[in-house]
Amino acid sequence: MIVAEAPGKLFITGEYAVVEPGRHAVIVGVSRLIRARLVAAGGGDGSTVRSRHFGPTPVPVSMGGDSVSIDAPGAELVRECIRVVLQLARERGTEASPFALEIESELDDEHGRKFGLGSSGAVAVVTVRAVAEHLGLGLDDDAVFRLATLATIELRPAASCADIATSTLGGWVHYASPDRLAVRELRRASGVEASLNETWPGLVLESLPDPGSMVLHVGWTSAPASTAELVGTLHAGDWRSSTEYATFLSESDRITAALVAAVRADSVEHALLAIRDAADNLEALDELSGIGIRTPALLDLIAAARGVGIPAKTSGAGGGDCGIALAPARDEALDAAWRAAGIEVLDLHVIPHRRVGVREHG
């Protein structure tokens, strides 16, 4: 049996800016996982995929030539991930063989409530890892990221793919988004193998050292948000050509560079300054755009943290979901302040790089 695991993600800095090609972010992989288990299908059995999101029973996967079909609502991303891996296998002269793939998630709770930890990116990564391992393609992390990204942008060309970067590497990740339209055209013009070997304009994919002096705190508002809808509002705004938006982007990159330096130096003081500045920069974007990044609950989360002397901010698209804070140690006063404000404190920590990837079980 092949087992592939990938963590969910939380943005520390750079959300919204990273949607633009070449803009930077710092994201962390957290200790809730997506897990894929794959076994070879014997005899005349065809391939199947199973997930509780697709129904109670395994769903057939039909594969032929450049076509992959999975007749289940919500299976489009898994389909595209299988398709891109099979395309690479064909380019390398490797024959596809049937498999049974099962995907399970820890990125929501027992009631199915999602925490906003980037499940689609993690699903893409474990699907690519498991199917590629089954076919003996021998992929490194860079190739896994690229294949999962190629599959994702077939469905959502505007996706930053920061969640894919983090679910691929785990730990602390410095990322800058590539020009996804150029990447998609590269695949269409030259194929998948060429897309793994060519330079992707704007891409930065870098693991950062684990800063031992910083503890991540995560608060959840109990209100799920739609990243696609919020980012769609971003793309629809005329204000994107304004000088204020240009200032937001350049300030976001400055803050992210400062945080990258703080993480490398393990300087909690400078990291906390970056969190404070990032919160202020997102506030300016929200006022400029009217997107609705900061809900009343998220404003309460930020205010409660500041009330005990710790900077906090929204994480990711906002509009609900999570806020984060960094502190020099586990801060019980912060947890208590969040609970008093109606914020659920999530038991999450940054998952190290060595915990992600693929392994064989007998």
Side-chain angles (χ1 to χ4, degrees), residues 172 208-215 258-272 326-328:
W172 288 74
L208 295 174
D210 180 23
S213 68
M214 305 175 202
V215 174
L259 180 62
V260 169
V263 170
R264 286 178 175 147
D266 198 10
S267 171
V268 67
E269 177 184 359
H270 289 97
L272 296 183
L326 295 177

Side-chain angles (χ1 to χ4, degrees), residues 195-284:
S195 300
L196 300 186
N197 298 320
E198 294 289 333
T199 298
W200 284 16
L203 174 63
V204 174
L205 182 64
E206 176 188 17
S207 287
L208 295 174
D210 180 23
S213 68
M214 305 175 202
V215 174
L216 177 70
H217 290 67
V218 185
W220 187 52
T221 65
S222 304
S226 170
T227 298
E229 290 181 8
L230 289 158
V231 173
T233 304
L234 173 72
H235 282 285
D238 292 340
W239 45 266
R240 290 179 68 218
S241 60
S242 68
T243 56
E244 291 86 355
Y245 185 57
T247 298
F248 163 77
L249 293 175
S250 60
E251 180 69 354
S252 179
D253 276 355
R254 181 197 68 78
I255 293 164
T256 295
L259 180 62
V260 169
V263 170
R264 286 178 175 147
D266 198 10
S267 171
V268 67
E269 177 184 359
H270 289 97
L272 296 183
L273 289 175
I275 297 297
R276 182 202 64 193
D277 289 349
D280 292 345
N281 200 38
L282 285 169
E283 180 179 354

Side-chain angles (χ1 to χ4, degrees), residues 102-343:
E102 183 173 1
I103 300 170
E104 60 183 30
S105 174
E106 299 173 355
L107 301 190
D108 44 20
D109 68 8
E110 64 274 15
H111 306 295
R113 300 181 301 169
K114 292 185 179 296
F115 297 122
L117 302 177
S119 60
S120 61
V123 166
V125 167
V126 296
T127 302
V128 166
R129 282 198 192 277
V131 177
E133 184 74 11
H134 169 65
L135 298 178
L137 297 182
L139 304 183
D140 61 13
D141 285 340
D142 183 75
V144 169
F145 165 79
R146 290 182 182 227
L147 290 176
T149 295
L150 289 171
T152 297
I153 62 180
E154 281 297 311
L155 301 171
R156 297 187 292 120
S160 75
C161 301
D163 54 349
I164 296 172
T166 313
S167 291
T168 300
L169 296 180
W172 288 74
V173 176
H174 174 209
Y175 174 72
S177 57
D179 183 333
R180 279 85 73 200
L181 294 180
V183 166
R184 189 173 64 173
E185 290 308 309
L186 173 62
R187 175 189 179 182
R188 292 176 178 178
S190 304
V192 174
E193 187 78 71
S195 300
L196 300 186
N197 298 320
E198 294 289 333
T199 298
W200 284 16
L203 174 63
V204 174
L205 182 64
E206 176 188 17
S207 287
L208 295 174
D210 180 23
S213 68
M214 305 175 202
V215 174
L216 177 70
H217 290 67
V218 185
W220 187 52
T221 65
S222 304
S226 170
T227 298
E229 290 181 8
L230 289 158
V231 173
T233 304
L234 173 72
H235 282 285
D238 292 340
W239 45 266
R240 290 179 68 218
S241 60
S242 68
T243 56
E244 291 86 355
Y245 185 57
T247 298
F248 163 77
L249 293 175
S250 60
E251 180 69 354
S252 179
D253 276 355
R254 181 197 68 78
I255 293 164
T256 295
L259 180 62
V260 169
V263 170
R264 286 178 175 147
D266 198 10
S267 171
V268 67
E269 177 184 359
H270 289 97
L272 296 183
L273 289 175
I275 297 297
R276 182 202 64 193
D277 289 349
D280 292 345
N281 200 38
L282 285 169
E283 180 179 354
L285 175 66
D286 210 11
E287 291 176 353
L288 170 66
S289 65
I291 291 173
I293 300 170
R294 302 166 306 148
T295 63
L298 284 168
L299 288 172
D300 289 344
L301 179 152
I302 293 168
R306 289 178 176 175
V308 295
I310 297 175
K313 61 181 285 293
T314 58
S315 178
D321 285 334
C322 294
I324 60 100
L326 295 177
R330 189 76 220 176
D331 196 301
E332 298 299 331
L334 172 59
D335 291 349
W338 275 353
R339 292 188 181 104
I343 302 300

